[in-house]
Amino acid sequence: MRIEVAGTTHVGMKRNHNEDNYLILNDENLCCVADGMGGHSSGEIASKIAVEELAEFFRMTSRDQDATWPFKMDKGRNYDENRLATGIKLANKSIFDKASTDTKYKGMGTTIVSVHFTDSAAYVGHVGDSRVYFFRQGVLKQVTEDHSLLNDYLKAKKLTPEEIENFPHKNVIVRALGMKETVAVDVAKVEAQPGDIFLLCSDGLSGMVTDPQMQEILARTTELEKACSQLIDMANAAGGNDNVTCVLARFHDN
């Protein structure tokens, strides 16, 4: 099993600083994207803490598999699922603690999406409205479910395309790292096949570029770095209303 990864981030066309961060940790076959919030530099700090804490937890547990974990294991999840969820929970606690003890960081938070690859599977962990998709045999499918007010409305009742377009609170998320001392982490397992491409992105991409447009770019562009650049360029060409971050990871069997 081999993972080929590329990633990039851009401030977008409307913001003056970038609150997104992303991580590619090749030794652990781990990658993630975090989209910070909180204004000033707080969002950038929160997203940086998120990716760094997750990376450090994976390094620590790789070096010492008997290390004591900061949270109990969920008996309903396997080791890999628990490892990913625990790393994200640890990141949440670090952000919450910093925001609680330093007034300049009060209210900061971040989304996170992450993928950890094992020999035959991809484990997807997320909190917030950043997304993970996977692309297989020309078809792009969303793996994660947005933790957003809009998505809650969509699940509760059917909205017309016009109502969705004019929804007044599109950017309101209902779950994020740093909001509370504890957080629920969604974890999904995808049985990976050779050639599968996983797309991790902040809503600066998914909010500006449609799924069919993303699918078309991945279908025609085999080079991951070039595909990342094209996705970022398309988001900016559509208005670039937010910071935009994209990580692409291709699963190989050797």
Side-chain angles (χ1 to χ4, degrees), residues 179-200:
M179 292 173 71
K180 298 179 181 178
E181 191 170 7
T182 60
V183 69
V185 181
D186 287 2
V187 180
K189 179 182 179 182
V190 178
E191 299 292 345
Q193 298 179 7
D196 284 354
I197 297 175
F198 287 78
L199 164 62
L200 297 76

Side-chain angles (χ1 to χ4, degrees), residues 77-78 80-82 84-86 88 123-126 185-189:
R77 290 172 168 170
N78 66 26
D80 293 300
E81 291 167 334
N82 271 289
L84 187 55
T86 299
I88 294 173
Y123 291 93
V124 177
H126 92 287
V185 181
D186 287 2
V187 180
K189 179 182 179 182

Side-chain angles (χ1 to χ4, degrees), residues 22-30 32 48-67 69 79 83 87 90 116:
Y22 72 93
L23 165 77
I24 295 172
L25 192 62
N26 290 313
D27 290 347
E28 299 296 336
N29 291 321
L30 175 72
C32 66
K48 188 170 186 287
I49 292 172
V51 300
E52 288 180 349
E53 286 284 356
L54 183 59
E56 181 52 36
F57 180 73
F58 265 73
R59 291 190 189 102
M60 183 267 288
T61 49
S62 182
R63 291 191 304 264
D64 182 6
Q65 294 192 354
D66 295 322
W69 288 16
Y79 173 83
R83 188 183 184 200
L90 185 60
H116 172 52

